[in-house]
Amino acid sequence: MADNKIAVSGTDNPYVTGSYAPGSNDKNTLDMTDFFQLLATQLQYQDPTNPMDNSELMAQMTQMAMVNSMNSMTQAMDTSTGVTTQTYAAGLVGQEVTMAVTEENSYGQEVPVGVKYAKVEYVNFTTGSPTIKLEGDKKEYELTHLVGMGRVPDPYNKDIDTDDGEDKEEGDKDPDPEEGP
């Protein structure tokens, strides 16, 4: 299936683009009721000397039934994915994670610059997609910024310290929470 997103430039900065994807609404979608209304209209105004072929009619009805089935399956998959994501995110509470730390680049995009190690304090589901709050941090991170469970080596740090085998950024917590900073 083709991606229907269209790049749109902002008026204040022509080099920063967003995306626009037309949503489904009653003006750009066809359901079974609309299909049967179109079919009835088509049958009402067909040429009596050249009537519609039964196989063509059955093919159209089969295609519409398949489209409806695919829409139902897509909705079920979306629901299942949402529940799975929420269950996974909720399971992170109390776990030590490695979270990507991001900064905005010159194009206005968030890019990872390092990682932060901390325990998950809570997960917020009110923002649409789950966000993660880490202990000792005021910011809520998107689930997509999760690098891994536990202390994953920093994939964004190009200057790896090989003396003691551990990479540690300033401000990171000690691996043992009992010992303190």
Side-chain angles (χ1 to χ4, degrees):
M1 188 176 235
D3 187 11
N4 292 333
K5 289 188 177 180
I6 301 167
V8 179
S9 176
T11 56
D12 57 344
N13 186 348
Y15 300 106
V16 176
T17 60
S19 63
Y20 167 76
S24 294
N25 61 42
D26 58 343
K27 294 182 181 182
N28 69 0
T29 56
L30 184 69
D31 62 11
M32 279 303 261
T33 305
D34 297 328
F35 173 73
F36 283 124
Q37 285 178 345
L38 282 172
L39 187 62
T41 304
Q42 185 178 6
L43 291 173
Q44 180 181 1
Y45 292 108
Q46 72 178 337
D47 183 4
T49 61
N50 186 14
M52 180 186 290
D53 185 21
N54 284 342
S55 61
E56 183 181 334
L57 179 66
M58 288 305 292
Q60 287 180 0
M61 290 181 72
T62 302
Q63 286 175 347
M64 191 61 196
M66 287 178 65
V67 167
N68 263 355
S69 296
M70 289 181 72
N71 283 340
S72 296
M73 188 170 59
T74 301
Q75 287 175 348
M77 290 296 294
D78 288 346
T79 301
S80 176
T81 302
V83 168
T84 302
T85 301
Q86 287 185 342
T87 303
Y88 173 74
L92 295 173
V93 175
Q95 301 292 321
E96 183 178 19
V97 296
T98 303
M99 191 66 64
V101 177
T102 60
E103 288 181 359
E104 193 172 297
N105 67 9
S106 59
Y107 299 109
Q109 301 166 328
E110 292 281 325
V111 293
V113 294
V115 298
K116 178 176 184 114
Y117 305 106
K119 284 190 176 183
V120 176
E121 186 176 330
Y122 65 80
V123 178
N124 183 356
F125 295 113
T126 62
T127 59
S129 62
T131 56
I132 300 170
K133 168 74 169 62
L134 301 177
E135 289 180 353
D137 194 347
K138 294 178 183 175
K139 181 178 177 182
E140 285 190 10
Y141 296 88
E142 294 180 24
L143 187 59
T144 56
H145 290 153
L146 182 67
V147 175
M149 299 295 295
R151 296 181 70 82
V152 176
D154 186 350
Y156 311 111
N157 188 358
K158 305 298 184 223
D159 302 324
I160 297 177
D161 184 2
T162 56
D163 293 342
D164 61 358
E166 278 192 34
D167 297 331
K168 189 171 177 182
E169 289 191 8
E170 239 180 87
D172 286 344
K173 289 187 173 185
D174 285 335
D176 186 358
E178 300 293 323
E179 292 180 10

